[in-house]
Amino acid sequence: MTVCKFGGSSLADDAQIRKVRAILEADSSRTIAVVSAPGKRNADDEKVTDMLYECNALAQQNRSCRHVFDNIARRYIDIAKGLKLDTVKLAAALDEIRQNIDAGRGTDYAASRGEYLSARIMASYLGWEFIDAAECIVINGDGTVNPLSYERLAGRLEEGGHYVIPGFYGANEQGVVKTFSRGGSDISGAIVARAAGADLYENWTDVSGMYAADPRIVKDAKVIEELTYTQVRELSDVGASVFHEEAIAPVIEKGIAINIRNTNAPEDPGTMIRPSSEKKGIIGVSAKGGYSKLKLRKLMMFKRPGMRHAMLTMLHLYGVRPSFSFFGIDSIVWYFESGQANDSVLKSMVERLKKDFQLDYAYYERDHAMLGIVGGHLDDDTSFITACAALKEAGIRINNVNYGSSNTTTLIGVNDSDAKRAVEVIYKALF
Ligand code: ASP
């Protein structure tokens, strides 16, 4: 059987929901749908989840959320009317939710109601059974999935049954509603696919798969036909979005394939994500900006056991958690997200590092980006040399390189202002 997750754009209005039904009806193995909250109908529109967060923020300031909530209510009522569903019960449910938000039920409760209502509507439109994620999906305090979720879900799913389950939320062990991070319905879909023992997890969105480069940068970027779990994870880490990177973990152990599909072009085969592949060569290039770079040096630094660990502990005290590390013989470069600390915090951190570890030097710089060239068996591939030559030719400075540590990704540190052009140049050189 196949678990299908539909993203916000697939639930944005009644016309989109009709497409969802046609997709589900086109293949009898599609028996479980996991749904997001309605997303944007056009570029100027608002996502229901964003509006729910706004309602909660108003409630926290002891202000009524009614004027914002009315827009949310209208969207659901319009959807229900468009699908010719009864709106009486829906109106009552909406009213109750608004009162709960006003009464201070909290951020996670408020945010989760978008998916809850989507799933309710979808279940009555399809005539499928609704399962509340809060009763089955258990989310730990740190936001990770509690394995109890698989047992509870499996206990609810009957062979041959048809179900609609809201994405994005579950509950903690005490039963209090809790959400995943933004875009978390992908994670819910993966949990359900694993619990249901699905053969395939289809992830329906508004693009025909993952692109070999961001199509906003490279206009004619091609869709990746097939890639592995590891490649998706590493491509996401350097900025490629489409699929939530934490959604890989639940399906990894069972080796369930994931197919990214387009609700607006269901005939497109999309991108297939498989457990592994023997294929060699490049599959994508992506870059992520907004990093700062910390550079440290001390003679014989690595001969002192525990020094690197102690320095990292100090970084953590200042709220800095590096995303990428590059090691020289006596030096370290750490890239961290710039938003983690302001300049005054970083200045004191650098001073303290210099003093406590008697460093030869330590300094940080803003405005960096990390570019990743992702593929298979890259440690045995010369495309990296072609990429570097293309960057040199384009006058783009390479700040750091990590080749060979991973056979999936070659990392290249560039200035933030060069990142987009670097993606373009490398795509042209390698694809
Ligand atoms: N509705 C949630 C969000 O906007 C979760 C999701 O769509 O996956 O982040």
Side-chain angles (χ1 to χ4, degrees):
M1 57 83 54
T2 302
V3 167
C4 302
K5 178 259 166 176
F6 293 91
S9 54
S10 308
L11 276 298
D13 58 22
D14 59 300
Q16 288 300 93
I17 293 178
R18 271 194 217 99
K19 291 183 193 168
V20 169
R21 178 152 98 176
I23 289 166
L24 291 169
E25 287 177 354
D27 182 341
S28 61
S29 73
R30 295 176 177 142
T31 54
I32 303 183
V34 175
V35 294
S36 282
K40 293 184 181 192
R41 289 161 293 187
N42 52 59
D44 305 319
D45 202 11
E46 262 190 289
K47 285 183 171 189
V48 163
T49 308
D50 290 334
M51 293 196 274
L52 285 164
Y53 278 117
E54 207 183 322
C55 287
N56 181 63
L58 288 166
Q60 279 178 349
Q61 298 159 22
N62 284 324
R63 290 161 62 193
S64 167
C65 68
R66 189 182 279 265
H67 61 289
V68 181
F69 197 87
D70 282 350
N71 293 330
I72 298 173
R74 201 167 314 122
R75 283 199 65 178
Y76 284 107
I77 298 285
D78 284 352
I79 288 175
K81 280 188 180 156
L83 299 173
K84 311 220 168 350
L85 297 173
D86 177 41
T87 55
V88 179
K89 272 201 197 135
L90 175 62
L94 282 161
D95 212 44
E96 190 186 325
I97 290 169
R98 183 187 52 74
Q99 287 176 32
N100 285 338
I101 296 176
D102 269 341
R105 277 285 288 272
T107 315
D108 287 25
Y109 168 83
S112 71
R113 295 305 88 185
E115 271 68 13
Y116 171 83
L117 291 166
S118 267
R120 279 258 173 227
I121 290 180
M122 201 67 209
S124 44
Y125 181 54
L126 295 168
W128 291 13
E129 189 180 330
F130 167 84
I131 296 182
D132 192 349
E135 290 166 14
C136 304
I137 294 184
V138 187
I139 305 179
N140 296 321
D142 61 0
T144 54
V145 184
N146 187 314
L148 264 179
S149 312
Y150 305 118
E151 260 169 59
R152 289 199 187 164
L153 271 165
R156 285 290 298 270
L157 304 171
E158 276 170 30
E159 191 128 0
H162 288 72
Y163 304 93
V164 181
I165 306 174
F168 189 38
Y169 75 95
N172 64 16
E173 276 195 85
Q174 289 68 47
V176 178
V177 169
K178 193 167 162 50
T179 60
F180 289 115
S181 53
R182 293 300 303 267
S185 298
D186 284 347
I187 310 174
S188 311
I191 297 168
V192 174
R194 172 166 167 175
D199 307 299
L200 181 65
Y201 170 26
E202 286 180 342
N203 195 285
W204 292 83
T205 174
D206 56 358
V207 286
S208 290
M210 286 189 82
Y211 286 87
D214 185 336
R216 287 166 302 185
I217 301 174
V218 179
K219 296 270 168 306
D220 54 354
K222 57 175 194 170
V223 169
I224 305 169
E225 277 170 32
E226 201 175 305
L227 75 173
T228 64
Y229 292 155
T230 314
Q231 289 167 340
V232 171
R233 146 89 191 107
E234 299 200 10
L235 207 49
S236 305
D237 214 43
V238 283
S241 51
V242 172
F243 192 64
H244 198 301
E245 57 177 329
E246 288 167 50
I248 299 286
V251 290
I252 267 186
E253 216 174 284
K254 302 280 175 211
I256 304 166
I258 306 163
N259 191 192
I260 313 274
R261 300 284 293 265
N262 188 349
T263 299
N264 304 318
E267 61 293 344
D268 288 355
T271 296
M272 204 66 175
I273 305 169
R274 296 193 191 279
S276 61
S277 160
E278 282 313 307
K279 273 196 192 155
K280 288 189 170 192
I282 309 291
I283 54 115
V285 54
S286 180
K288 189 170 172 191
Y291 287 106
S292 293
K293 177 173 141 173
L294 176 68
K295 190 161 181 182
L296 315 166
R297 186 195 139 86
K298 181 176 173 62
L299 192 69
M300 312 272 226
M301 165 189 289
F302 293 108
K303 301 256 190 255
R304 297 178 172 212
M307 179 160 168
R308 190 164 27 130
H309 181 75
M311 287 197 294
L312 272 176
T313 307
M314 180 171 293
L315 260 55
H316 289 179
L317 290 178
Y318 287 87
V320 171
R321 290 177 184 272
S323 306
F324 302 100
S325 315
F326 293 82
F327 299 118
I329 290 175
D330 285 330
S331 55
I332 299 181
V333 169
W334 273 313
Y335 282 78
F336 57 93
E337 286 170 19
S338 293
Q340 290 179 343
N342 63 29
D343 284 322
S344 72
V345 170
L346 291 179
K347 278 184 191 139
S348 11
M349 181 184 82
V350 163
E351 283 317 309
R352 179 100 186 266
L353 281 166
K354 273 196 213 153
K355 196 160 136 262
D356 288 16
F357 296 98
Q358 296 173 347
L359 301 179
D360 299 339
Y361 65 68
Y363 62 88
Y364 75 94
E365 289 170 358
R366 296 282 193 195
D367 303 325
H368 282 273
M370 191 55 64
L371 182 145
I373 303 173
V374 178
H377 300 273
L378 288 197
D379 49 348
D380 186 20
D381 189 294
T382 54
S383 52
F384 160 62
I385 299 166
T386 316
C388 289
L391 290 177
K392 183 169 189 319
E393 171 99 36
I396 295 174
R397 192 190 139 87
I398 296 173
N399 296 320
N400 292 93
V401 170
N402 187 333
Y403 168 78
S405 304
S406 144
N407 52 16
T408 307
T409 305
T410 296
L411 293 170
I412 304 180
V414 294
N415 293 342
D416 215 342
S417 53
D418 286 334
K420 285 188 178 148
R421 211 158 51 88
V423 167
E424 220 178 338
V425 163
I426 292 182
Y427 185 89
K428 292 232 164 75
L430 297 181
F431 286 87

